[in-house]
Amino acid sequence: MSEESKKEIDEVTGVETVGHEWDGIKELNNPLPRWWLNIMYFLILVSVIYWVLMPAWPGRHDVTHGLRNYSERVEVTKQVEAMQNARAEKAQRLLQAASLEEIENDPELFEFASALGKITFADNCAMCHGSGGQGAIGYPNLNDDVWLWGGKIEDIRYTIAHGIRSGDPKSRNSLMPAYGKAGILQKNQINDLVNYVRSLSGMDVDEEAAARAAPLFKAQCSVCHGVDGTGNRMFGAPNLTDEEWLFGGDEESIRYTITNARNAVMPNWNGRFDDATITSLAVYVHTLGGGE
Amino acid sequence: MGKVEIHTFDVDAVNSAANRQLYKSREPIYPKLAHGKFRKIKWALLFVTLGIYYVLPWIRWDRGPDSPNQAVLVDFTNGRFYFFNIEIWPDELYLLSGLLILSALVLFFVTSVFGRLWCGYSCPQTVWTDLFIAIERFVEGDRNKRMRLAQQKWNADKITKKIIKHSLWLLIAMATGGAWVLYFHDAPTILHHLFVGKAPATAYLFIGILTFTTYSLAGLMREQVCTYMCPWPRIQAAMTDSETFSIGYYFGRGEPRGKHKKNESWEGRGDCIDCKACVAVCPMGIDIREGDQLECINCGLCADACDDIMKKVGRPTGLIAYGAQYREGVKHDKRRLPNLLRGRTIFYGLLIIIVSTLMLVSLTGRSSVEVNVERNRAPAYTILSDGSVRNAVSVSILNKHNQPTDYRLTVTGDEALQIQAVGHQFEGNQLLLTVDGGDLQRIRIFFTLPKQKWADIQARDLAVEVTNVETGESVIRELTMVGKS
C-alpha cells in the first residue's frame, strides 16, 4: 500500500510515471494497447504449440523432435528419391539405347537426355568449358569439330566417365615430355621446332629454322603427333596442322608448350554421376555441334 | 378524378451533404418501390445482365474434338481463353488488355454523354443491390413495413422474416460465386464435382469469397460501396460537364416549393409539392432537389416517383428528368437537351475508333504459327578446324492449331552454306516437320560457311522461312551470321 501511495502523476500529461528518472526526465507509464498485448499472448501460446509439434529445443546429443517428427533432411531425401523414381523408366530406356540415332529418333528420350545433360553440364562442366561449352585457353571448345580423344558419342561418354589424366584406373592417359625443363632439347632446338610446328598449319615462319627441325620432329614428336603432324587420338595427341590451338598458336605459347608440356587434367565423373546422367551429358555435348 | 390522396413522406435524405459527417455510422435507407418507365428499364436490365451472367457458361460451342466445347471459358490449366470463335493464347493477352482499354473508353464516352448510366443500370453492385432490396421487400414488405419491423421488438415474426431474408440472400450470394467458377471450368462437370466434393479447392475458395462479398456488399453495405469504396464516382466528375445528359430536378419549374391543397391555385408557386416521394424511393439516400451529387447513381427512380405524383396532382410530368444539367438559380424555360458534339465526346469517340481498329487488325491478323529464331550466345560462333565459320541457332515453331500440322522449314542463303540440324535431316535447304497441336518444337540448326566464303559479307545473310504445308501460310525470319571479322 505504501508503494502505491508513492506513485507519481506527471503534471503535463496527467499520466502515471514508472518512478525512474534520468537527468530530470521521468518515464511515463503508458501501457501498450490491449489488442496488441493480446496478440503477443496469443503468439506465446502459438510458440508453445509449435514446440510440442515441431523440432524445437536442442539437447545434449539430439533435439526434441516434436509430435509431427518433421525433418527437412528426410523431406529432401524423399523428394530426391521421388525424382529418381520418376526418371527411372526413361533412364533405363536411355541406357538400353544402342546408338545415338536411336536416342535422337525418339523425341521423348532425346528431350529427356538433352534436358538432363544440359542442367548437369551447367552445374558441373560449365566452370571450365563455359556455359555453352565454348571453352577457353586450355579448356577445349566442345562446339567445334576438334576432338583430342574422339568425338563419337561412345568416345565422349568414355572421356566424361573416366576423365583425362584423372587417376581413374581407366582414365585416358598420355604424357608429353617437358622437353626444355627435362633437358631433352636445347633452347635453339626448341626454337627451331616452334617454327616447324607453325609451318605445319601454314603460318609464317623462319623457313631455315623449320627445315633444321624436321629431323628433330620426326625423332621426337612423330611417335604421337604423326609424321605429318595430324595427331593421334589414341594418345590424345592434337592435330598440329589445323587452325585450332588449345593453348594458343603464337610462338610464345608453342615454345612454352614444348618446354614445359601442358598435360591438362579432366576429372572422372563416374564416381559422381550414375550411368544415365553420364550418357545424357554425352548426348548433350554431342549435340552442341561438334559430335561425330 | 374523385378522391386523389397525395401521401407526403416523412423522410430525411440521410446522405445529403448537409447531414454529412466524418466517422458517422451508417443510417439505414429503406427505399420505397417506384413504379414507372425507369423502374421497368431497370427490371429489364436486371434480368438481362443477371441472365447473361448465369446462362453464358452453359452455352456450348463446337470447336472440334481436341478443344473444350464451352462458348466462354478461361482455361488456366492449358493457358487458353475461349470466347465463341475466338481463342486467345497467353502470348496474346495484349488483346485482353486492349479489350479493357476499349471498355474503359466506352465507359468514358457513355459517361460524358449520358452521365452515370453504368452506375444506375448495369454496374454489378447496383444490379445485385437492386435484387437484394427486391427480396427484402418481398419478405418484409415495402418501406413503411420495413421501418416498422426494424423498430419492433424481436419476436417470432421478426425472427422468421429475418431468417428467410438472410437465407435467400445467402443462397443468391452462393449462386453468384458458383456461377463465377463455371467460367473457369467445364460447367456441367464442375457443377457435378462441386456437389460431390471433387472440385478443386480453389473453386470452393472462390465460391466462399464471392458468397461473402456478394452478401456483404449487396446485402449489408449497399450504397456505401458506391459512396465510400468505389473510385468511379470521383473519376466521373472529370468526364461529365453541364451538357451531360443526367438526372436532375428542374429548379426553374419546381421552386418555390410548398404543400399544395386540392383546388388551390398553382399561380405564383412552383410545381414541387414537397411530398418527398423522390427521397423515399432513392436507394442512395439523397435528395435530388439539392442538385447533382457524388452519391447520385443516375438511376432515374426519383423521376418515376415524381412523375407519379405530378400525374396525381394534374401537373405535367418531367419535374425530375434526364436532361442537360439543371442548376439552381438558372431559370430554364423547358427541359434542355444536351449538345452531343462536344470536345470530349469527339475525343473519346475518336479514341474508341482508333483502339477498336487496332484491335480488329491484330485480332484478324493473328498468325496460326509462331516462329522464333534464337542465336546461340556461348559461343556466338565456332571456328572449325578447317577455318570455316559456324553459327548455331534454335528455331522454335509454335503450332497454334489444335491438330498436328506439317511445316516446311526453308533456309535461303549462299549456295556454299551448309545446313545441319540435330536429330533431323535436311534435304538440300529444306526440312519437313510435324508439330503436334498446341505444341512447341525446338530444333537446333547449324549454319556453316567455308573459310574462303566468309570474306564475302553478303554470303553471311540468310533467311529461315516456316511454311504451313497445307495452307501456305508462312513466317520469315532473317539473320546475319556472326564470326571473326
Side-chain angles (χ1 to χ4, degrees), chain A residues 154-261:
Chain A
E154 310 84 57
D155 301 331
I156 298 172
R157 198 188 182 286
Y158 189 96
T159 305
I160 297 169
H162 302 292
I164 299 164
R165 302 176 193 98
S166 63
D168 180 279
K170 290 160 119 183
S171 164
R172 296 195 187 277
N173 262 316
S174 71
L175 214 59
M176 171 166 156
Y179 286 97
K181 227 162 96 185
I184 304 169
L185 296 176
Q186 301 307 310
K187 275 193 174 172
N188 59 336
Q189 291 177 297
I190 292 176
N191 198 40
D192 291 350
L193 258 184
V194 168
N195 280 291
Y196 181 80
V197 167
R198 281 169 58 85
S199 74
L200 289 176
S201 50
M203 288 190 270
D204 291 338
V205 293
D206 176 352
E207 302 285 349
E208 250 173 69
R212 271 200 305 273
L216 202 58
F217 183 87
K218 204 172 170 190
Q220 295 288 352
C221 317
S222 64
V223 182
C224 294
H225 289 286
V227 180
D228 53 0
T230 48
N232 188 336
R233 285 182 175 179
M234 216 158 121
F235 314 111
N239 181 348
L240 303 174
T241 64
D242 65 16
E243 303 218 354
E244 170 80 15
W245 293 94
L246 183 54
F247 289 91
D250 58 297
E251 284 182 26
E252 203 46 56
S253 298
I254 297 174
R255 185 174 295 116
Y256 187 96
T257 304
I258 300 173
T259 309
N260 300 295

Side-chain angles (χ1 to χ4, degrees), chain A residues 132 143-145 243 287-289, chain B residues 378-379 382 385 390 444 446 451:
Chain A
N143 290 263
D144 64 20
D145 58 345
E243 303 218 354
T287 56
L288 283 176
Chain B
T382 305
S385 56
R390 191 168 68 195
R444 197 169 153 85
F446 303 109
K451 189 180 181 183

Side-chain angles (χ1 to χ4, degrees), chain B residues 366-383:
Chain B
R366 287 188 304 165
S367 161
S368 72
V369 56
E370 195 88 14
V371 177
N372 264 314
V373 176
E374 217 179 318
R375 254 180 222 285
N376 200 24
R377 279 176 299 180
Y381 64 91
T382 305
I383 308 285

Side-chain angles (χ1 to χ4, degrees), chain A residues 104 107 110-111 114-115 118 287, chain B residues 370-376 393-399 407 409 421-424 431 433-436 439-445 466:
Chain A
E104 282 188 349
F110 183 60
E111 178 75 35
S114 307
K118 188 173 183 177
T287 56
Chain B
E370 195 88 14
V371 177
N372 264 314
V373 176
E374 217 179 318
R375 254 180 222 285
N376 200 24
V393 296
S394 279
V395 177
S396 317
I397 300 174
L398 176 64
N399 175 13
Y407 292 103
L409 200 148
V422 175
H424 297 274
L431 176 65
L433 285 167
T434 306
V435 184
D436 281 342
D439 214 3
L440 176 90
Q441 189 156 342
R442 197 174 273 126
I443 317 146
R444 197 169 153 85
I445 302 181
V466 174

